[in-house]
């Protein structure tokens, strides 16, 4: 058995941040990952440009059974700390929208930053290493690939279940259970909705169309774009509300988030009574969308023919439009996993398990899940930092 101070399982965003922080403190750190290369999700993130943080990230951007848990770590390592690190490596970046910061070039810049910092801090990283057993005998003992390591601290940074093709596994949850820690049920988040065949047929002609909406499901309300696809509904508005959606519930989309549709139609009935609904709606969203919506739901009357009651009927199909998804695309395409290691089991200061000294959980494996837009990486950096400062 070889001895190190800290073993980190998972060379993703949280694991590498933890490792480099501990290494900078002079700790001997070994990072183990079963994948063939480090930071695969970073590489594929943000469409290949990694939305590495969000300037406006606050605890309100996170879902967790305990919404207070994330506050300490997030306040001690802020988006500005990570931005300073990015700038110190000369990585060019830009704000796309809503505080979302992306690399100008490739996500690889962020992976290289983490690898360079790890190398400077003397961190050892081993890929292609499948863990066969973890035990505790006065120290944590990790066996993998016919070898063994002992360490005082074990950090679990193995991520969630989303995108199994990329090496996602339930390893962290199983390890938590092995040590008697509670794991909350998991489900796919930031994921497209699927529709039953009839609804899919109804909306088939809209595939590819994107509309600015106010989307709502449960406690989640987001002003973003809805994208109709061949499989169902997607786009940032859908991904955001999917994290708040419960199976069987409807999702609401206000198709006219900028205006009171009823008042607008009544005003136009006075000002332009001869105009038909289709060309009118085409002024508000695309012609294809207006045509399909009128053909399917609204008809194409001239405004003068609309009674107040008829106007309310039109409004009820648009403001909001309600639809019940048949499900989600699941972990295959989800950006994140909701649920995970119960935060009641962990110290919010250090991420250490309260009942198992020396055992830490960071990043997505913990029951803290961010909104779309760079918040999930911010949690990975902040929780990784919090553990890295004490392991
Ligand atoms: P992460 O999944 O990054 O790393 C876990 C590591 O553990 C992996 O390297 C894995 O191989 C390893 N591992 C797993 N099981 C193991 C085992 N049994 N043994 C050894 N190693 C094991 N977020 C954001 O803020 N901005 C964005 O732009 C995006 N974009 C995005 C796109 C796509 C397609 C996805 C799927 C996700 C995003 N995300 C995102 C979410 C973000 O990628 C995610 O929240 C973080 O990567 C989580 O970081 P972790 O380090 O916790 O896990």
């Amino acid at each position: 058995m070889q001895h190190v101070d800290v073993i980190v399982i998972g060379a993703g965003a949280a694991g590498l941040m933890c490792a480099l922080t501990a290494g900078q403190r002079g700790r001997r750190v070994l990072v183990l990952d079963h994948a063939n290369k480090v930071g695969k999700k970073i590489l594929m993130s943000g469409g290949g440009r990694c939305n590495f943080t969000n300037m406006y990230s606050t605890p309100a951007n996170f879902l967790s059974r305990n919404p207070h848990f994330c506050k300490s770590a997030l306040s001690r390592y802020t988006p500005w700390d990570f931005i300073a690190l990015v700038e110190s490596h000369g990585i060019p970046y830009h704000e796309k929208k809503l505080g979302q910061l992306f690399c100008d070039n490739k996500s690889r810049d962020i992976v290289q930053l983490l690898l360079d910092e790890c190398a400077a801090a003397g961190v050892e990283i081993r890929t292609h290493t499948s863990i066969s057993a973890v035990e505790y005998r006065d120290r944590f003992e990790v066996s993998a690939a016919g070898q063994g390591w002992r360490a005082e601290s074990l950090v679990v940074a193995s991520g969630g279940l989303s995108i199994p093709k990329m090496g996602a596994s339930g390893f962290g949850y199983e390890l938590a259970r092995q040590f008697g820690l509670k794991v909350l049920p998991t489900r796919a988040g930031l994921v497209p909705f699927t529709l039953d065949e009839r609804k899919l047929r109804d909306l088939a002609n809209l595939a590819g169309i994107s509309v600015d909406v106010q989307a709502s499901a449960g406690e989640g309300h987001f002003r973003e774009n809805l994208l109709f696809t061949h499989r169902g509904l997607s786009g940032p508005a859908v991904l955001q509300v999917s994290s708040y959606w419960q199976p069987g519930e409807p999702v609401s989309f206000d198709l006219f988030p900028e205006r009171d549709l009823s008042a607008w139609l009544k005003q136009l009935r006075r000002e332009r009574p001869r105009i038909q609904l289709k060309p009118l709606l085409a002024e508000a969203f695309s012609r294809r969308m207006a045509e399909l919506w009128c053909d399917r739901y609204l008809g194409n009357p001239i405004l003068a023919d609309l009674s107040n009651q008829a106007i309310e009927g039109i409004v009820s199909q648009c403001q909001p439009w309600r639809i019940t998804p048949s499900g989600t695309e699941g972990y295959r395409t989800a950006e994140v996993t909701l649920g995970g290691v119960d935060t009641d089991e962990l110290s919010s200061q250090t991420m250490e398990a309260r009942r198992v000294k020396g055992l830490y959980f960071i990043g997505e494996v913990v029951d803290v899940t961010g909104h779309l837009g760079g918040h999930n990486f911010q949690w990975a950096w902040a929780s990784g930092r919090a553990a890295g400062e004490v392991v």
Side-chain angles (χ1 to χ4, degrees), residues 1-78:
M1 285 251 170
Q2 293 172 40
H3 290 251
V4 290
D5 296 320
V6 183
I7 297 173
V8 179
I9 299 178
L16 293 175
M17 175 55 90
C18 176
L20 71 88
T21 306
Q24 285 165 356
R25 291 172 41 239
R27 305 288 279 163
R28 284 171 306 158
V29 185
L30 171 67
V31 184
L32 302 175
D33 199 304
H34 66 172
N36 58 349
K37 57 182 173 190
V38 307
K40 278 184 156 184
K41 277 201 188 155
I42 303 175
L43 291 172
M44 75 188 302
S45 68
R49 290 220 155 88
C50 187
N51 177 195
F52 56 79
T53 192
N54 189 301
M55 292 192 289
Y56 309 128
S57 200
T58 74
N61 296 111
F62 294 86
L63 291 88
S64 171
R65 205 179 66 169
N66 176 2
H68 304 293
F69 179 83
C70 61
K71 289 181 178 171
S72 171
L74 289 172
S75 68
R76 285 178 294 133
Y77 193 79
T78 69

Side-chain angles (χ1 to χ4, degrees), residues 57-206:
S57 200
T58 74
N61 296 111
F62 294 86
L63 291 88
S64 171
R65 205 179 66 169
N66 176 2
H68 304 293
F69 179 83
C70 61
K71 289 181 178 171
S72 171
L74 289 172
S75 68
R76 285 178 294 133
Y77 193 79
T78 69
W80 303 104
D81 293 315
F82 195 75
I83 293 166
L85 183 61
V86 167
E87 289 180 351
S88 74
H89 282 252
I91 297 173
Y93 66 91
H94 60 277
E95 180 186 0
K96 195 165 168 195
K97 58 175 180 177
L98 307 169
Q100 302 167 3
L101 300 187
F102 285 74
C103 295
D104 285 357
N105 301 321
K106 293 268 180 240
S107 302
R108 165 141 295 285
D109 286 355
I110 299 296
V111 174
Q112 199 56 50
L113 173 161
L114 296 166
L115 287 177
D116 289 349
E117 291 283 336
C118 280
V123 172
E124 184 186 350
I125 302 173
R126 290 183 179 228
T127 53
H128 300 88
T129 307
S130 289
I131 316 291
S132 46
V134 176
E135 277 163 86
Y136 184 81
R137 290 190 201 93
D138 163 49
R139 292 274 187 277
F140 290 95
E141 294 182 359
V142 176
S143 314
Q147 297 188 66
W149 296 272
R150 276 167 67 80
E152 196 177 301
S153 301
L154 178 67
V155 183
V156 182
S158 51
L161 295 167
S162 43
I163 324 271
K165 252 190 353 206
M166 285 287 134
S169 79
F171 176 86
Y173 310 125
E174 283 150 33
L175 196 83
R177 288 190 194 102
Q178 180 190 330
F179 283 91
L181 309 188
K182 195 168 163 211
V183 178
L184 297 176
T186 56
R187 65 192 169 88
L190 301 182
V191 62
F193 287 134
T194 52
L195 300 175
D196 64 37
E197 278 198 16
R198 191 183 53 78
K199 291 186 188 119
L200 216 46
R201 254 197 326 272
D202 263 10
L203 300 171
N205 288 342
L206 289 181

Side-chain angles (χ1 to χ4, degrees), residues 149-350:
W149 296 272
R150 276 167 67 80
E152 196 177 301
S153 301
L154 178 67
V155 183
V156 182
S158 51
L161 295 167
S162 43
I163 324 271
K165 252 190 353 206
M166 285 287 134
S169 79
F171 176 86
Y173 310 125
E174 283 150 33
L175 196 83
R177 288 190 194 102
Q178 180 190 330
F179 283 91
L181 309 188
K182 195 168 163 211
V183 178
L184 297 176
T186 56
R187 65 192 169 88
L190 301 182
V191 62
F193 287 134
T194 52
L195 300 175
D196 64 37
E197 278 198 16
R198 191 183 53 78
K199 291 186 188 119
L200 216 46
R201 254 197 326 272
D202 263 10
L203 300 171
N205 288 342
L206 289 181
I209 285 186
S210 175
V211 196
D212 175 26
V213 298
Q214 169 84 14
S216 302
E219 298 292 301
H221 309 280
F222 296 89
R223 174 77 185 272
E224 270 279 13
N225 277 4
L226 155 68
L227 174 69
F228 294 91
T229 73
H230 290 294
R231 288 199 293 260
L233 304 175
S234 189
V238 164
L239 300 189
Q240 295 282 33
V241 293
S242 72
S243 295
Y244 291 83
W245 179 73
Q246 296 297 332
E249 279 183 1
V251 183
S252 302
F253 298 99
D254 182 347
L255 302 178
F256 293 86
E258 287 290 327
R259 50 183 135 214
D260 175 339
L261 182 58
S262 171
W264 185 58
L265 289 176
K266 285 172 187 163
Q267 180 193 343
L268 289 173
R269 186 176 55 184
R270 283 193 305 277
E271 293 170 1
R272 297 159 72 187
R274 306 310 303 167
I275 191 168
Q276 285 182 292
L277 202 54
K278 253 186 214 180
L280 185 65
L281 293 194
E283 290 173 19
F285 32 60
S286 78
R287 196 161 56 85
R288 192 144 61 103
M289 170 85 186
E291 272 183 9
L292 187 130
W293 224 251
C294 288
D295 293 347
R296 285 272 177 278
Y297 301 115
L298 314 175
N300 190 21
I302 59 167
L303 294 194
D305 288 347
L306 288 175
S307 64
N308 283 352
Q309 199 186 359
I311 286 181
E312 294 319 317
I314 289 170
V315 171
S316 72
Q317 297 287 1
C318 307
Q319 200 163 49
W321 171 56
R322 284 192 187 81
I323 185 160
T324 304
S326 60
T328 71
E329 289 187 5
Y331 294 120
R332 189 178 61 81
T333 61
E335 283 202 11
V336 287
T337 302
L338 292 149
V341 177
D342 190 343
T343 57
D344 282 355
E345 301 282 8
L346 308 177
S347 154
S348 63
Q349 304 288 312
T350 63

